[in-house]
Amino acid sequence: MIDKNALEAPCGLDCSMCMQHKAIGDENLKKKLSDMMQLLSDNVTVPADKVGCPGCRAIEGNCLHIGEQCLTYICTREKGVDFCSDCAEFPCIKLMPCADKSTIIPHNIKLYSLNVRKFKGEEEWKKVFPELYQLYFKGKMFIGRGPQPKS
């Protein structure tokens, strides 16, 4: 099993890229995220002093954004896998992207991230994920070529 303090979430996201993780020790970012989380969630309010996350594994999937333990995290523990891509049922509905809030939540890159990890290995994933994350948020989609850096 992977180290519980690793910043690689079972779902394929890299917790080190998450604003919640980056907010640790940054009071201005905590306030901004607290305000933004109220726009993202229908039922979760998180005061600024509670914003900040050491990573999904370190908190056993008890995500501030959803106000409960992440069902994807629970599923990987129950199935005894480190990543969803290690599961015989991969991919499942928990990983399916949805257009709702897709411009501000990086969950649409989960399947791509998990496939890079599964088929190219952890080292390649660690090399390319920061670029993938930037392309997701700051790139421009070109049909047939995929996301490209904006020029």
Side-chain angles (χ1 to χ4, degrees):
M1 296 293 277
I2 200 160
D3 177 356
K4 79 170 200 157
N5 295 313
L7 292 173
E8 299 141 8
C11 67
L13 295 179
D14 181 347
C15 296
S16 72
M17 305 296 274
C18 177
M19 288 294 113
Q20 287 291 339
H21 182 70
K22 291 180 178 189
I24 295 173
D26 184 334
E27 298 306 315
N28 291 330
L29 184 54
K30 284 182 179 187
K31 172 68 173 119
K32 181 179 176 182
L33 290 176
S34 176
D35 294 343
M36 188 173 88
M37 286 171 66
Q38 292 186 11
L39 298 173
L40 290 175
S41 180
D42 298 326
N43 62 344
V44 177
T45 301
V46 180
D49 66 326
K50 301 289 185 201
V51 172
C53 178
C56 294
R57 294 183 193 276
I59 60 169
E60 297 183 348
N62 289 296
C63 181
L64 289 172
H65 297 288
I66 59 176
E68 63 185 23
Q69 192 175 28
C70 173
L71 294 180
T72 302
Y73 180 89
I74 292 169
C75 184
T76 59
R77 298 291 66 89
E78 288 174 351
K79 295 195 175 170
V81 297
D82 286 329
F83 298 96
C84 294
S85 55
D86 298 333
C87 179
E89 296 175 31
F90 173 78
C92 76
I93 194 75
K94 289 181 192 78
L95 299 171
M96 187 180 129
C98 185
D100 180 45
K101 301 174 185 139
S102 64
T103 59
I104 53 177
I105 300 175
H107 290 247
N108 288 342
I109 61 174
K110 285 179 179 178
L111 284 174
Y112 188 80
S113 172
L114 287 165
N115 277 294
V116 169
R117 177 181 281 284
K118 181 173 185 154
F119 296 109
K120 295 186 178 184
E122 180 181 356
E123 290 306 311
E124 182 65 14
W125 178 84
K126 284 181 178 181
K127 282 194 314 194
V128 302
F129 196 80
E131 179 184 347
L132 298 176
Y133 198 84
Q134 289 301 312
L135 282 173
Y136 180 78
F137 281 110
K138 297 181 179 176
K140 182 174 178 173
M141 178 57 74
F142 289 91
I143 296 174
R145 286 191 280 155
Q148 305 292 311
K150 288 183 181 175
S151 45

